[in-house]
Amino acid sequence: MTNQPVWQPSASQAALESRAQQLSFVRGFFAQRQVMEVETPVLGRHGVTDLNLDGVYADVSAAGISGGWLQTSPEYHMKRLLAAGSGSIFQISKVFRDGERGSRHNPEFSMLEWYRVGFDDAALMSEVSDLVCGWLGCARPRIVAYRDALITCAHIDPFESSDRELRRSCEQWLEPEQLAGMGRDACLDLLMSFAVEPHLGRDVPEFIVGYPASQAALARVSTQDGHRVAHRFELYIDGLELCNGYWELVDASEQRHRFEHDNQLRRLAGKPERAIDEAFLQSVEAGLPECAGVALGLDRLLMLKLGTRDISDVLAFPFERA
Amino acid sequence: MASYSTNEFRSGLKVLLDGDPCIILDNEFVKPGKGQAFNRVKLRNLMSNRVWERTFKSGESLEAADVLEQDMEYLYTDGEFWHFMLTDGSFEQHAADAKAVGDTVKWLKEQDVYTVTLYNGAPLSVAPPNFVELEVVDTDPGMKGDTAQGGSKPATLSTGAVVNVPLFISIGEVLKVDTRSGEYVSRVKSS
């Protein structure tokens, strides 16, 4: 990372051309399936309450209104369209996450997000496969349970193990004093990132399903084999996390409860609380249709297409050059 | 003391880890989409020269290490310490012990300039320039006119370093040597 100005793009001309082809492939894919393209604000009045997502605050003022956040995802706005009767929709948009920069992260990135009315998680996974395999020409993904992946790669049962056992299995990466303040989910994130992820999707792409209910985010939860699991899926190809999808939660009071719980976690972590997006909650209350939705990182999809391990190879101007 | 948080980590940054000064070689940001972020960091321990790999939770911080690299002229050795002087006109002197001088001892020539790494104001290590010019004090007799023929022989230089040189090199000649590989580069002048 440098602070010296560099005017040239970091992506090759071939990568820029491939990006353009990818965009037209995606638009063609949804046109064929009669899914409507929409645009929602990149600059919203509210941020998100998620513990581990930091939005970029935008100090905007206009006509008696001030503040705002660059969106971490178009999810809330798109769901408001769904509640208003849009039917199935997709969007290609820029999203923003503060503090995220690395070989797979840039603070600003391109996201493809789509919602299918009447679909559940299984139906949407099938459509994700159509899109991803159609573009990459790869084998169709197999489905792996989160629990099985953790047991196989990290030798720990994410549902049955005690907090103590979970922390102990993290000792390979962190010192005891670093582990002291870490909850179950943070430990699981560590194991997922370092022990599991590198092995996922090596031979064929892999969907991970059945996340712990504590990591449901905006997915509905059900009981499977005695465990509370989220109807959430992620797709991994060659160790790279490509998308995150939900069979969407349509229960407004449960949704409010989760936002409030998020803020509790933020308080405990010493982070500022975030105002809850009431307009979004009202739309869920008014009636979010039964649907499934997924967010897919387009820059990473392009990385896979071009066989590169560095996101800078597919971005015209990563943050240091922007 | 200043400290750096994980999002300020970059290669070249000098930090304190387990009480030792380290230089960050590589910093990889790792984060599951909605989960806790971590930094996988490679550091070189400047005391032991070992490479460490450590994981940090994003937001954790490390103290800055008071490490400074300075150009200094080598003056002399008293047998126990090697004495260097800053080239900035201050005439400030520092004494490096055998551990700090390390392998560089075989390239030390009086009045040449070296990069001395100071930690808390004392020499931690001494690095030679990439090329030094040293006189041959001992080698088998030179074979004049035999420059085209291959083959090499050992030559002892004024600092005690032994390098392989072409057969035509003789005692008294000054050679240019690459300190990174310890290899002969060229003759500087013939005797």
PDB file of all heavy atoms in Angstrom, chain A residues 87-103:
ATOM      1  N   GLY A  87     -42.050  -7.701  -7.202  1.00  0.00           N
ATOM      2  CA  GLY A  87     -41.737  -9.014  -7.779  1.00  0.00           C
ATOM      3  C   GLY A  87     -40.235  -9.225  -7.723  1.00  0.00           C
ATOM      4  O   GLY A  87     -39.510  -8.429  -7.113  1.00  0.00           O
ATOM      5  N   SER A  88     -39.742 -10.310  -8.359  1.00  0.00           N
ATOM      6  CA  SER A  88     -38.316 -10.649  -8.296  1.00  0.00           C
ATOM      7  C   SER A  88     -37.467  -9.533  -8.903  1.00  0.00           C
ATOM      8  O   SER A  88     -37.791  -9.020  -9.979  1.00  0.00           O
ATOM      9  CB  SER A  88     -38.058 -11.954  -9.038  1.00  0.00           C
ATOM     10  OG  SER A  88     -38.726 -13.013  -8.373  1.00  0.00           O
ATOM     11  N   ILE A  89     -36.385  -9.172  -8.220  1.00  0.00           N
ATOM     12  CA  ILE A  89     -35.546  -8.064  -8.674  1.00  0.00           C
ATOM     13  C   ILE A  89     -34.059  -8.385  -8.495  1.00  0.00           C
ATOM     14  O   ILE A  89     -33.677  -9.201  -7.666  1.00  0.00           O
ATOM     15  CB  ILE A  89     -35.853  -6.761  -7.883  1.00  0.00           C
ATOM     16  CG1 ILE A  89     -35.866  -7.032  -6.374  1.00  0.00           C
ATOM     17  CG2 ILE A  89     -37.164  -6.139  -8.337  1.00  0.00           C
ATOM     18  CD1 ILE A  89     -36.071  -5.790  -5.508  1.00  0.00           C
ATOM     19  N   PHE A  90     -33.247  -7.693  -9.321  1.00  0.00           N
ATOM     20  CA  PHE A  90     -31.797  -7.766  -9.105  1.00  0.00           C
ATOM     21  C   PHE A  90     -31.200  -6.386  -9.208  1.00  0.00           C
ATOM     22  O   PHE A  90     -31.795  -5.467  -9.754  1.00  0.00           O
ATOM     23  CB  PHE A  90     -31.131  -8.743 -10.086  1.00  0.00           C
ATOM     24  CG  PHE A  90     -30.841  -8.173 -11.457  1.00  0.00           C
ATOM     25  CD1 PHE A  90     -29.561  -7.691 -11.763  1.00  0.00           C
ATOM     26  CD2 PHE A  90     -31.814  -8.125 -12.451  1.00  0.00           C
ATOM     27  CE1 PHE A  90     -29.277  -7.189 -13.032  1.00  0.00           C
ATOM     28  CE2 PHE A  90     -31.529  -7.614 -13.727  1.00  0.00           C
ATOM     29  CZ  PHE A  90     -30.261  -7.143 -14.016  1.00  0.00           C
ATOM     30  N   GLN A  91     -30.007  -6.254  -8.631  1.00  0.00           N
ATOM     31  CA  GLN A  91     -29.305  -4.977  -8.690  1.00  0.00           C
ATOM     32  C   GLN A  91     -27.801  -5.219  -8.732  1.00  0.00           C
ATOM     33  O   GLN A  91     -27.279  -6.101  -8.061  1.00  0.00           O
ATOM     34  CB  GLN A  91     -29.655  -4.121  -7.465  1.00  0.00           C
ATOM     35  CG  GLN A  91     -28.895  -2.808  -7.413  1.00  0.00           C
ATOM     36  CD  GLN A  91     -29.482  -1.769  -6.470  1.00  0.00           C
ATOM     37  OE1 GLN A  91     -29.335  -0.583  -6.707  1.00  0.00           O
ATOM     38  NE2 GLN A  91     -30.155  -2.190  -5.434  1.00  0.00           N
ATOM     39  N   ILE A  92     -27.127  -4.395  -9.532  1.00  0.00           N
ATOM     40  CA  ILE A  92     -25.662  -4.382  -9.550  1.00  0.00           C
ATOM     41  C   ILE A  92     -25.270  -3.038  -8.963  1.00  0.00           C
ATOM     42  O   ILE A  92     -25.619  -2.001  -9.521  1.00  0.00           O
ATOM     43  CB  ILE A  92     -25.128  -4.502 -10.994  1.00  0.00           C
ATOM     44  CG1 ILE A  92     -25.480  -5.882 -11.566  1.00  0.00           C
ATOM     45  CG2 ILE A  92     -23.631  -4.252 -11.038  1.00  0.00           C
ATOM     46  CD1 ILE A  92     -25.322  -5.995 -13.074  1.00  0.00           C
ATOM     47  N   SER A  93     -24.613  -3.044  -7.802  1.00  0.00           N
ATOM     48  CA  SER A  93     -24.323  -1.758  -7.175  1.00  0.00           C
ATOM     49  C   SER A  93     -22.989  -1.742  -6.467  1.00  0.00           C
ATOM     50  O   SER A  93     -22.404  -2.789  -6.171  1.00  0.00           O
ATOM     51  CB  SER A  93     -25.425  -1.382  -6.189  1.00  0.00           C
ATOM     52  OG  SER A  93     -25.405  -2.275  -5.095  1.00  0.00           O
ATOM     53  N   LYS A  94     -22.517  -0.538  -6.204  1.00  0.00           N
ATOM     54  CA  LYS A  94     -21.306  -0.361  -5.418  1.00  0.00           C
ATOM     55  C   LYS A  94     -21.706  -0.364  -3.948  1.00  0.00           C
ATOM     56  O   LYS A  94     -22.690   0.281  -3.579  1.00  0.00           O
ATOM     57  CB  LYS A  94     -20.637   0.968  -5.758  1.00  0.00           C
ATOM     58  CG  LYS A  94     -19.962   0.990  -7.117  1.00  0.00           C
ATOM     59  CD  LYS A  94     -18.863  -0.060  -7.204  1.00  0.00           C
ATOM     60  CE  LYS A  94     -17.998   0.133  -8.429  1.00  0.00           C
ATOM     61  NZ  LYS A  94     -16.787   0.873  -8.193  1.00  0.00           N
ATOM     62  N   VAL A  95     -20.967  -1.088  -3.122  1.00  0.00           N
ATOM     63  CA  VAL A  95     -21.211  -1.090  -1.685  1.00  0.00           C
ATOM     64  C   VAL A  95     -19.889  -0.788  -0.969  1.00  0.00           C
ATOM     65  O   VAL A  95     -18.813  -0.901  -1.560  1.00  0.00           O
ATOM     66  CB  VAL A  95     -21.823  -2.422  -1.197  1.00  0.00           C
ATOM     67  CG1 VAL A  95     -23.192  -2.632  -1.813  1.00  0.00           C
ATOM     68  CG2 VAL A  95     -20.913  -3.592  -1.516  1.00  0.00           C
ATOM     69  N   PHE A  96     -20.006  -0.396   0.287  1.00  0.00           N
ATOM     70  CA  PHE A  96     -18.861   0.178   1.000  1.00  0.00           C
ATOM     71  C   PHE A  96     -18.713  -0.434   2.383  1.00  0.00           C
ATOM     72  O   PHE A  96     -19.692  -0.570   3.116  1.00  0.00           O
ATOM     73  CB  PHE A  96     -19.052   1.693   1.129  1.00  0.00           C
ATOM     74  CG  PHE A  96     -19.197   2.375  -0.202  1.00  0.00           C
ATOM     75  CD1 PHE A  96     -20.434   2.424  -0.845  1.00  0.00           C
ATOM     76  CD2 PHE A  96     -18.099   2.940  -0.827  1.00  0.00           C
ATOM     77  CE1 PHE A  96     -20.570   3.029  -2.079  1.00  0.00           C
ATOM     78  CE2 PHE A  96     -18.228   3.550  -2.069  1.00  0.00           C
ATOM     79  CZ  PHE A  96     -19.466   3.596  -2.696  1.00  0.00           C
ATOM     80  N   ARG A  97     -17.492  -0.805   2.742  1.00  0.00           N
ATOM     81  CA  ARG A  97     -17.234  -1.339   4.068  1.00  0.00           C
ATOM     82  C   ARG A  97     -15.917  -0.781   4.589  1.00  0.00           C
ATOM     83  O   ARG A  97     -14.857  -1.024   4.014  1.00  0.00           O
ATOM     84  CB  ARG A  97     -17.221  -2.872   4.030  1.00  0.00           C
ATOM     85  CG  ARG A  97     -18.617  -3.368   3.701  1.00  0.00           C
ATOM     86  CD  ARG A  97     -18.734  -4.841   3.539  1.00  0.00           C
ATOM     87  NE  ARG A  97     -20.096  -5.175   3.153  1.00  0.00           N
ATOM     88  CZ  ARG A  97     -20.580  -6.403   3.096  1.00  0.00           C
ATOM     89  NH1 ARG A  97     -19.812  -7.423   3.413  1.00  0.00           N
ATOM     90  NH2 ARG A  97     -21.829  -6.615   2.737  1.00  0.00           N
ATOM     91  N   ASP A  98     -16.042  -0.038   5.693  1.00  0.00           N
ATOM     92  CA  ASP A  98     -14.874   0.636   6.241  1.00  0.00           C
ATOM     93  C   ASP A  98     -13.888  -0.379   6.820  1.00  0.00           C
ATOM     94  O   ASP A  98     -14.293  -1.386   7.391  1.00  0.00           O
ATOM     95  CB  ASP A  98     -15.322   1.615   7.333  1.00  0.00           C
ATOM     96  CG  ASP A  98     -14.244   2.637   7.642  1.00  0.00           C
ATOM     97  OD1 ASP A  98     -13.328   2.810   6.817  1.00  0.00           O
ATOM     98  OD2 ASP A  98     -14.320   3.263   8.715  1.00  0.00           O
ATOM     99  N   GLY A  99     -12.617  -0.100   6.664  1.00  0.00           N
ATOM    100  CA  GLY A  99     -11.579  -0.920   7.296  1.00  0.00           C
ATOM    101  C   GLY A  99     -11.232  -2.192   6.554  1.00  0.00           C
ATOM    102  O   GLY A  99     -10.390  -2.954   7.015  1.00  0.00           O
ATOM    103  N   GLU A 100     -11.891  -2.461   5.420  1.00  0.00           N
ATOM    104  CA  GLU A 100     -11.652  -3.739   4.742  1.00  0.00           C
ATOM    105  C   GLU A 100     -10.753  -3.545   3.526  1.00  0.00           C
ATOM    106  O   GLU A 100     -11.173  -3.006   2.516  1.00  0.00           O
ATOM    107  CB  GLU A 100     -12.992  -4.385   4.333  1.00  0.00           C
ATOM    108  CG  GLU A 100     -13.887  -4.640   5.534  1.00  0.00           C
ATOM    109  CD  GLU A 100     -15.088  -5.527   5.227  1.00  0.00           C
ATOM    110  OE1 GLU A 100     -15.179  -6.061   4.103  1.00  0.00           O
ATOM    111  OE2 GLU A 100     -15.938  -5.687   6.127  1.00  0.00           O
ATOM    112  N   ARG A 101      -9.507  -3.973   3.650  1.00  0.00           N
ATOM    113  CA  ARG A 101      -8.603  -3.929   2.511  1.00  0.00           C
ATOM    114  C   ARG A 101      -7.639  -5.088   2.636  1.00  0.00           C
ATOM    115  O   ARG A 101      -7.043  -5.303   3.686  1.00  0.00           O
ATOM    116  CB  ARG A 101      -7.839  -2.597   2.487  1.00  0.00           C
ATOM    117  CG  ARG A 101      -6.885  -2.463   1.307  1.00  0.00           C
ATOM    118  CD  ARG A 101      -7.614  -2.324  -0.022  1.00  0.00           C
ATOM    119  NE  ARG A 101      -6.688  -2.230  -1.164  1.00  0.00           N
ATOM    120  CZ  ARG A 101      -6.477  -3.236  -2.034  1.00  0.00           C
ATOM    121  NH1 ARG A 101      -7.100  -4.382  -1.894  1.00  0.00           N
ATOM    122  NH2 ARG A 101      -5.651  -3.080  -3.050  1.00  0.00           N
ATOM    123  N   GLY A 102      -7.490  -5.847   1.580  1.00  0.00           N
ATOM    124  CA  GLY A 102      -6.577  -6.979   1.560  1.00  0.00           C
ATOM    125  C   GLY A 102      -6.603  -7.558   0.167  1.00  0.00           C
ATOM    126  O   GLY A 102      -7.163  -6.957  -0.753  1.00  0.00           O
ATOM    127  N   SER A 103      -6.043  -8.743  -0.003  1.00  0.00           N
ATOM    128  CA  SER A 103      -5.984  -9.316  -1.344  1.00  0.00           C
ATOM    129  C   SER A 103      -7.376  -9.730  -1.845  1.00  0.00           C
ATOM    130  O   SER A 103      -7.557  -9.978  -3.031  1.00  0.00           O
ATOM    131  CB  SER A 103      -5.026 -10.495  -1.381  1.00  0.00           C
ATOM    132  OG  SER A 103      -5.479 -11.493  -0.501  1.00  0.00           O
TER     133      SER A 103
END
